[in-house]
Amino acid sequence: MIVKYFLFGVYSKIKENIITINQGDRIYHPGYGIGIVKLISNKSFVGEKKTTFIQLYFARNGLTWQVPANNIPSTIRNIISATEARKIISHLQSWKGKVSEQWKVRATANQAAIAIGDPYRYAEVVKGLSLMKEHSTLSATDLKHLSLGLEFLCEELAEALNKTQERVGELIKDAIASPPAVA
């Protein structure tokens, strides 16, 4: 059974995305990370017509989630490709954005970036807070956001590039440390 969804704004570099979900596919959810479609089935309850359900398993949390297909959150998307992963590493290297000096503004922005599940935004959170950490002590919230951003970014890049998360962590560290390329 194949389930197709047309999603808008799944992540910033791809404004429109059609996701086809098949049993066995790997998908991404910003709150749970990489998951696998374990089962697609039709079920009916007393007095109701059959509804398609999708059972997802997220290994990082050991979570099995069964959800009606028509309630799939718009944040579920396909895992990025190796080409997209290389673009994200390049973006990490070249990004020159700044993080707010005000902790509350910074924390709100970083939380929003992590919540939407955009790997480009994860990269920006990781780079901004990593550079900030070199010059000052990070707050507990900043450390949490840095850790989450790095965890989510490493997990997805490792999957896309077929590398270990440790190796991807080294690539990220190198990209942050290297000077931006001149166009």
Side-chain angles (χ1 to χ4, degrees), residues 74-89:
S74 63
T75 52
I76 288 179
R77 60 174 168 77
N78 291 320
I79 296 172
I80 61 171
S81 66
T83 301
E84 197 71 28
R86 287 188 286 279
K87 287 179 185 176
I88 291 166
I89 292 172

Side-chain angles (χ1 to χ4, degrees), residues 36 38-39 54-59 61-67:
I36 187 164
K38 287 293 200 181
L39 183 67
I54 300 174
Q55 185 180 61
L56 305 169
Y57 176 72
F58 299 93
N61 306 66
L63 173 72
T64 299
W65 183 26
Q66 189 158 331
V67 61

